[in-house]
Amino acid sequence: MIIDTQSVRAAAGAPRTTTGLDANKKVSGRKRGLAVDVLGLIIGVIVMAASAHDNAAGIALLDQAAERCGMRLEKALVDQGFKEAVITSTANMARRLTTPTPAWRDTIGLAA
């Protein structure tokens, strides 16, 4: 399973209660999170204010994945935005949570 988030600008009329500012990317809007399997099929989706940390999205996405996949979930690939809180809160759910190394990113053609 692969988990990642993306901050996107909100529409002009979006309520302020559902939007926020992502200080790292200088984006005012929402953050969407996706969990996909190895085939690219969607396992979980979450939308939250851009000011929310990736940890909140990661925990919610892993909960959705556990609900849909049960104990078949063995490994989740995440980027550096997800911190130790995701790993510790889901230690019983996922056996291994792996962060790809820069070398792994290069082998699949992702920009660093």
Side-chain angles (χ1 to χ4, degrees), residues 4 6-7 10 13 37 43 48-49 63 69-71 75-76 79 92 109 112:
D4 204 4
Q6 179 183 25
S7 296
D37 66 5
I43 298 173
M48 52 186 20
D63 287 343
C69 300
M71 294 308 292
K75 191 174 196 177
D79 64 11
N92 295 332

Side-chain angles (χ1 to χ4, degrees), residues 4 47 51 70:
D4 204 4
V47 178
S51 56

Side-chain angles (χ1 to χ4, degrees), residues 58-71:
I59 292 168
L61 288 168
L62 282 170
D63 287 343
Q64 288 181 19
E67 185 178 310
R68 289 180 175 87
C69 300
M71 294 308 292

Side-chain angles (χ1 to χ4, degrees), residues 3-73:
I3 298 175
D4 204 4
T5 61
Q6 179 183 25
S7 296
V8 292
R9 295 192 193 285
R16 286 214 180 272
T17 58
T18 63
T19 61
L21 176 67
D22 185 344
N24 291 332
K25 298 181 182 173
K26 310 289 190 276
V27 173
S28 177
R30 295 188 176 118
K31 184 177 285 190
R32 59 184 170 206
L34 251 135
V36 297
D37 66 5
V38 294
L39 298 174
L41 301 174
I42 296 173
I43 298 173
V45 176
I46 188 166
V47 178
M48 52 186 20
S51 56
H53 196 276
D54 284 350
N55 285 338
I59 292 168
L61 288 168
L62 282 170
D63 287 343
Q64 288 181 19
E67 185 178 310
R68 289 180 175 87
C69 300
M71 294 308 292
R72 294 178 296 152
L73 179 63

Side-chain angles (χ1 to χ4, degrees), residues 53 55 59 80-91 97 99:
H53 196 276
N55 285 338
I59 292 168
Q80 296 295 325
F82 298 93
K83 304 294 183 201
E84 196 70 26
V86 176
I87 296 170
T88 56
S89 70
T90 58
L97 190 61
T99 302

